[in-house]
Amino acid sequence: MPANRFNAFTDYGIGLGLRVPHYAHILERKPTCGWFEIISENFLVDGGRPLHVLDRILEQYRVVQHGVSLYFGSADKPDRAHLRKLKALVKRTRTPWLSDHLCWGSVDGTYTHDLLPMPYTFAAAKHTAEKIRHVRDFLEVPICVENVSSYAEFHASEMTEWEFLGEVVERADCGILLDVNNIYVSAQNHGFDPYDYLDHVPHDRVGQMHIAGHTRFEKYILDTHDHPVLDPVWKLYAHATKLCGVTATLLEWDDKIPSFDEVHAEALKANEFIAGAREAKKGGDGFPSRPEFPRAPPQPRTARRAVPTSR
Amino acid sequence: MTPIGLKSPPARLPRRQRTTADLRAMQRLMAHALYQPLTPADDLAPRFRDGRAMADVAASFIKPNDRLSSLERLQIYARCYWYRVIDCVYDDSPGLRALLGEQRFSALVRAYLAKYPSRSFTLRNLCSRLPQFIRDEPRWTAPRTALAHAVARFEWAQTVAFDGEARPVLTRDDFADAPPAKLRLALQPYVTLLAFDWPVDDYVIAVKQRDALRGEASHAVDHGPRAASHRRVPWPRRGRVHVVVHRYDHRLFYKRVESAAFRVLEQLAAGRTLAQAIAAAGARAKPDRVREWFATWMELGWFCRR
Ligand SMILES: [Fe+2]
């Protein structure tokens, strides 16, 4: 049974990001996997090997599209040629929902290829929600917007990030892809309590979750997706699952990618928390009580060239 | 240098953002800061493009926190931006990188991206204007500008061949009855015809083999192949070659063709009829040879309807 009206796919369970180093393993061994999340942009091509591989994956697996370049928060209008290509891909994959980020990244038709944070203003929320509606109406597929990790805040902001997220999704009447790792990263970088964030997002709109690893630097945390999920993120995930119900969940691992089996095993750890959520629903509370958010100063590390590829 | 496409940044931002225009102004300001090249230490430049201190520009829209100044927070994004786009050009340009050496290649890439930020939602197209930039601004590659231009064109053709559009392939039956004087064939969009004054294909293959060896050496316990893997690949010696970059069975190929065959393909690609294309190749296009060429090209699926 769906946990909410934006979460009709609780049976999807745990998914993995489809990444090039795993293609051969997946096509040859056909491992079991609840579903694959693809980065839409990798397949918005006109031909060749990427689409050939995708078609073979589609014969065997359920695929959900995740994008990194719709830039709902950019002041620019959506690019029509991009949307037309995306619509063709939506038809090809029959993705049950489509996600992209609550961020901006392009201006005047130039692209940063990054997921840049929004100023949390009412004007930006209104504009962003209109773009989400426009894209959904054009693509004819439900949309979930994902919270990004951020390293900066703006003077112009008029509300918290979770209030802004709520404002946008209510105005757009769309779903949320709740990235629990991003909440943790931003909480550390901006000094808020991630449990406040989780408690205040509209739980009935969460249609998917992301979990991932991050990297701690001396003065901030970067969302690098090159590690296993860290313990505080699993704790947040447990709390999020308790609040939102069992939700399709995806582990993101985009850099220093280990073997398919290793990534899969890491993702399947989420089942423990999903079982907890099911248990809680039956009456008992299978969850640890809300843990104290650690506020110890970050540990110094050095690794300068780490760059997130998609978040 | 102003990045092509991006409109001028606002002199100052409104204190409150009430409209989409206000949002756009802030996004323009931040994009200008990101697109400005980093210093040699990979820091933000001390001055914004209009002469203001970069720290003042950052402080005008980004909040500091207890650990980081506004400038430092902006710098995290600037570094992420530059590392990402530079990495992308590096990955797509092993030949050009080997040709110029790390330092000159790095300077070229930074100058290119400072002028031509991406205009596409996908990084796939990031190097599409690199050949043009090399020709327009020879100072980054002199005295080997012509060779650098050739290598950049060859490497861009590989991106096109990898995932460019494939139209329905024309078969013999499709034009069995068409007279050569009327018949116009098109080349598949993923096929690129390239004529060079150097064997650029051999050079890039040698570089890739060297790099593959280097990758193995860095993983190997014994250091046997190390000497070979650090060798500079010699610059190619002059010699006219005609190369078709294409794909077959989802794999990338470079096919050398003789000059008369190349002429025929060029003419067909330019929209001439089959008869005109063959005539343009002159006496070297003997009927048997032409028949052989076309048999191969048809088998490779190079032709589609115009
Ligand atoms: Fe994410």
Side-chain angles (χ1 to χ4, degrees):
Chain A
M1 239 229 340
N4 64 59
R5 79 183 167 101
F6 288 93
N7 188 352
F9 305 96
T10 56
D11 67 304
Y12 268 55
I14 317 292
L16 286 184
L18 182 68
R19 299 292 177 266
V20 176
H22 295 156
Y23 281 2
H25 179 89
I26 296 164
L27 295 174
E28 282 160 27
R29 305 278 185 83
K30 303 187 175 50
T32 35
C33 181
W35 52 289
F36 283 114
E37 186 184 81
I38 61 164
I39 304 292
S40 300
E41 285 72 9
N42 293 344
F43 301 94
L44 292 177
V45 294
D46 297 318
R49 187 169 162 72
L51 291 175
H52 171 71
V53 171
L54 178 62
D55 287 342
R56 289 180 61 194
I57 298 281
L58 284 167
E59 286 166 13
Q60 308 267 350
Y61 296 98
R62 300 186 289 199
V63 162
V64 178
Q65 278 181 234
H66 178 55
V68 292
S69 65
L70 279 172
Y71 296 138
F72 295 127
S74 282
D76 283 2
K77 286 200 170 71
D79 176 68
R80 297 296 285 188
H82 180 187
L83 285 185
R84 273 195 297 275
K85 280 192 165 180
L86 195 53
K87 188 162 187 172
L89 190 64
V90 163
K91 285 191 173 144
R92 194 175 196 128
T93 63
R94 296 183 301 278
T95 183
W97 73 92
L98 176 141
S99 59
D100 206 315
H101 300 80
L102 183 54
C103 71
W104 72 279
S106 59
V107 59
D108 295 333
T110 68
Y111 286 75
T112 65
H113 300 284
D114 201 352
L115 309 171
L116 301 173
M118 296 297 297
Y120 307 133
T121 68
F122 288 98
K126 182 165 171 276
H127 167 80
T128 306
E130 279 164 13
K131 265 180 89 167
I132 294 169
R133 281 178 177 274
H134 175 91
V135 169
R136 178 186 55 211
D137 293 348
F138 184 87
L139 297 179
E140 299 178 292
V141 68
I143 302 266
C144 286
V145 286
E146 176 179 355
N147 57 296
V148 296
S149 48
S150 62
Y151 317 104
E153 301 156 291
F154 298 111
H155 291 304
S157 288
E158 296 159 351
M159 60 190 105
T160 62
E161 184 186 336
W162 54 90
E163 286 164 345
F164 182 75
L165 174 63
E167 184 75 17
V168 169
V169 296
E170 296 296 340
R171 280 175 179 269
D173 193 20
C174 69
I176 296 173
L177 192 181
L178 195 66
D179 188 314
V180 179
N181 181 59
N182 287 349
I183 294 177
Y184 180 79
V185 169
S186 296
Q188 290 273 302
N189 288 339
H190 307 314
F192 63 77
D193 184 337
Y195 289 89
D196 280 345
Y197 194 127
L198 283 183
D199 289 345
H200 288 97
V201 291
H203 305 126
D204 57 347
R205 290 185 179 275
V206 175
Q208 189 193 328
M209 292 192 203
H210 270 173
I211 44 177
H214 55 254
T215 304
R216 197 179 276 282
F217 292 84
E218 193 181 339
K219 292 180 177 174
Y220 61 96
I221 298 187
L222 201 59
D223 179 31
T224 45
H225 297 183
D226 59 354
H227 280 70
V229 180
L230 283 105
D231 203 46
V233 175
W234 280 125
K235 290 206 174 89
L236 276 176
Y237 176 71
H239 191 68
T241 304
K242 181 178 172 183
L243 295 171
C244 304
V246 176
T247 303
T249 297
L250 180 117
L251 169 69
E252 297 183 290
W253 202 319
D254 297 311
D255 208 359
K256 300 180 200 148
I257 303 176
S259 72
F260 180 88
D261 290 336
E262 209 171 310
V263 177
H264 200 194
E266 181 66 20
L268 291 178
K269 287 183 191 165
N271 274 326
E272 208 181 296
F273 303 100
I274 289 178
R278 291 218 165 91
E279 203 54 40
K281 220 173 179 185
K282 278 190 226 148
D285 188 340
F287 288 95
S289 58
R290 171 177 161 154
E292 201 49 44
F293 173 57
R295 288 184 184 278
Q299 299 301 307
R301 283 237 200 131
T302 47
R304 286 212 25 231
R305 275 190 75 95
V307 174
T309 47
S310 89
R311 291 175 211 148
Chain B
M1 184 184 303
T2 307
I4 288 181
L6 185 60
K7 304 228 170 74
S8 298
R12 53 193 296 269
L13 293 169
R15 217 169 50 81
R16 278 197 60 197
Q17 289 186 20
R18 289 168 213 269
T19 63
T20 302
D22 295 340
L23 177 67
R24 181 175 286 112
M26 195 210 83
Q27 293 180 344
R28 248 176 218 153
L29 182 70
M30 185 158 168
H32 271 285
L34 298 183
Y35 294 158
Q36 209 171 311
L38 301 173
T39 67
D42 283 352
D43 290 334
L44 273 167
R47 298 261 153 212
F48 190 59
R49 60 186 69 245
D50 63 5
R52 280 184 285 171
M54 188 66 90
D56 292 344
V57 172
S60 75
F61 69 110
I62 293 176
K63 280 187 200 169
N65 71 3
D66 54 346
R67 285 159 284 163
L68 296 163
S69 67
S70 306
L71 183 74
E72 286 169 318
R73 295 181 116 183
L74 181 60
Q75 187 159 276
I76 295 172
Y77 284 104
R79 285 179 177 166
C80 278
Y81 168 73
W82 278 97
Y83 294 164
R84 178 181 292 107
V85 288
I86 287 172
D87 273 357
C88 177
V89 181
Y90 267 58
D91 286 349
D92 289 355
S93 315
L96 192 59
R97 198 165 118 206
L99 183 77
L100 296 175
E102 291 296 335
Q103 276 194 347
R104 292 203 79 196
F105 179 72
S106 170
L108 168 74
V109 172
R110 285 161 198 257
Y112 168 62
L113 293 169
K115 182 168 179 180
Y116 290 110
S118 170
R119 303 275 305 173
S120 165
F121 64 87
T122 163
L123 281 167
R124 176 224 189 244
N125 297 327
L126 194 60
C127 295
S128 63
R129 289 171 297 183
L130 186 55
Q132 186 199 326
F133 179 78
I134 289 172
R135 211 178 34 198
D136 292 349
E137 298 199 11
R139 68 178 184 278
W140 304 103
T141 49
R144 271 177 288 280
T145 298
L147 178 54
H149 182 245
V151 173
R153 284 175 70 209
F154 182 66
E155 291 187 320
W156 172 247
Q158 293 174 49
T159 298
V160 173
F162 178 70
D163 60 13
E165 185 192 355
R167 301 212 182 118
V169 174
L170 276 188
T171 62
R172 239 162 245 290
D173 296 345
D174 291 326
F175 54 87
D177 302 327
K182 290 252 170 81
L183 185 60
R184 290 176 209 274
L185 303 170
L187 280 178
Q188 291 285 5
Y190 63 79
V191 171
T192 308
L193 308 176
L194 296 164
F196 296 129
D197 290 325
W198 297 268
V200 167
D201 49 348
D202 288 346
Y203 177 70
V204 172
I205 289 168
V207 168
K208 285 183 175 175
Q209 279 170 346
R210 193 265 326 253
D211 290 351
L213 216 56
R214 189 177 278 180
E216 272 170 35
S218 68
H219 291 117
V221 183
D222 78 282
H223 299 293
R226 179 168 272 188
S229 71
H230 282 260
R231 206 184 47 216
R232 193 180 66 80
V233 176
W235 288 315
R237 299 160 77 120
R238 267 185 184 273
R240 188 82 174 155
V241 295
H242 300 88
V243 186
V244 182
V245 182
H246 70 110
R247 69 168 178 257
Y248 185 75
D249 199 18
H250 309 296
R251 290 196 306 161
L252 195 65
F253 289 95
Y254 325 135
K255 186 173 174 53
R256 285 267 184 104
V257 294
E258 53 192 281
S259 63
F262 189 82
R263 183 95 179 119
V264 173
L265 288 168
E266 247 182 353
Q267 294 289 308
L268 289 173
R272 308 273 186 284
T273 65
L274 185 59
Q276 287 168 333
I278 294 168
R284 288 166 307 160
K286 302 221 161 46
D288 307 1
R289 297 294 293 136
V290 170
R291 229 169 284 133
E292 268 171 46
W293 297 339
F294 272 85
T296 307
W297 300 341
M298 300 286 298
E299 202 174 321
L300 293 172
W302 285 1
F303 296 118
C304 56
R305 211 172 285 283
R306 183 156 281 286

